[in-house]
Amino acid sequence: MQTDNIYFVNEFLIKKPVERLLCYTIECSLPDEYKSRKIGYKIASILSRELSRKLKKPVASLGEKLITSPEVKLPSEEKILVKIKGIPIEVEVKEIREWKLIEKEDENFSEAVKRYLNRVIDLIMENEGYRQDGRRFYEKRRQSVRRRIYISRGVFITSKVNKEKQTIIVDPVTEVRSKLNLLEALKLVLKEKNIKNWREAKNSQRK
């Protein structure tokens, strides 16, 4: 059943949709061997998240660029820690500069708005004390359900954007995890089967 603000069961219409976003270009100093589009995307992603936390305002990445509300003013430079080829490197972003407004007529408008709205959600859920895993947000308090199992209750939240409408999709999720790591679990199995070493386990499997 569809109402004015609900689509299906878990899709909610945004009554005040995003109409424009301000796009920023970034420039940073990197050795030539580290310069690539993939690393540029990674730098923009990490920088957007750091600026969001620092400014308490949503800042998202769009390729190698940043996007935010036109009302938000970004700093002109910033330092971030980026792991490149397995090595943590301090990257100095020397220039964060306003580039252009992204509006409905732009080809990448829907993607930009989706990324921006998801960052809005990230900030809200972080402020509410949730732990984030992709688009899933879990309560930090874990509930023990068995001797070796605990669960975390949470919610999957993402935005959905096209030229006609902007919506938020919400679904409940549950994370189930073992209290033991793999080695601890294997040792426990051996103990329960009264096996003292791995060779005995291999021999007993053949029987």
Side-chain angles (χ1 to χ4, degrees):
M1 183 176 179
Q2 181 175 312
T3 68
D4 290 338
N5 65 336
I6 300 180
Y7 294 81
F8 306 108
V9 175
N10 58 351
E11 190 172 353
F12 300 87
L13 182 68
I14 297 175
K15 292 185 177 180
K16 190 177 179 181
V18 177
E19 296 183 348
R20 61 180 61 86
L21 292 167
L22 184 56
C23 186
Y24 285 76
T25 60
I26 61 176
E27 292 184 13
C28 54
S29 56
L30 279 175
D32 290 339
E33 63 267 26
Y34 293 151
K35 291 180 180 178
S36 70
R37 180 173 293 181
K38 182 179 180 180
I39 292 176
Y41 287 177
K42 187 174 185 178
I43 289 173
S45 176
I46 293 173
L47 178 60
S48 69
R49 192 171 287 275
E50 289 299 316
L51 289 175
S52 295
R53 291 193 179 117
K54 183 176 180 179
L55 301 175
K56 305 297 183 184
K57 300 288 184 181
V59 181
S61 63
L62 185 66
E64 297 180 80
K65 298 178 176 63
L66 303 178
I67 50 174
T68 188
S69 167
E71 286 74 37
V72 175
K73 183 69 175 178
L74 300 186
S76 59
E77 57 185 36
E78 191 72 26
K79 289 182 179 180
I80 57 173
L81 195 64
V82 181
K83 198 171 185 179
I84 302 176
K85 296 182 179 179
I87 303 172
I89 296 175
E90 185 179 70
V91 175
E92 185 178 354
V93 182
K94 293 184 175 180
E95 191 171 347
I96 304 174
R97 183 170 54 187
E98 289 185 15
W99 183 42
K100 70 169 189 174
L101 283 172
I102 298 179
E103 301 181 285
K104 291 182 180 179
E105 298 77 20
D106 291 290
E107 184 179 352
N108 58 355
F109 177 76
S110 293
E111 180 65 21
V113 172
K114 179 178 179 178
R115 287 172 174 268
Y116 175 77
L117 289 174
N118 281 347
R119 185 49 48 84
V120 173
I121 295 166
D122 295 347
L123 277 179
I124 292 172
M125 298 305 286
E126 183 179 347
N127 290 337
E128 291 295 321
Y130 282 78
R131 170 176 56 88
Q132 185 173 357
D133 181 9
R135 299 308 314 155
R136 293 173 171 82
F137 302 87
Y138 297 101
E139 295 176 340
K140 290 183 179 179
R141 180 178 59 85
R142 293 168 173 171
Q143 179 182 352
S144 180
V145 291
R146 291 184 181 178
R147 187 175 54 166
R148 302 170 196 162
I149 300 292
Y150 64 75
I151 64 171
S152 299
R153 302 190 186 279
V155 62
F156 170 87
I157 314 178
T158 191
S159 60
K160 181 180 175 183
V161 179
N162 56 43
K163 291 182 179 179
E164 286 72 39
K165 63 179 183 290
Q166 299 172 20
T167 61
I168 300 295
I169 297 172
V170 182
D171 266 329
V173 292
T174 301
E175 180 184 59
V176 181
R177 288 197 176 186
S178 171
K179 295 178 181 178
L180 307 176
N181 60 37
L182 180 59
L183 180 59
E184 291 170 336
L186 289 173
K187 286 181 177 179
L188 185 61
V189 170
L190 292 179
K191 183 178 180 181
E192 290 177 344
K193 293 182 177 294
N194 199 27
I195 298 174
K196 295 181 180 180
N197 59 59
W198 302 110
R199 183 173 294 180
E200 288 182 21
K202 185 177 181 181
N203 293 335
S204 65
Q205 192 175 17
R206 291 176 177 174
K207 294 177 181 179

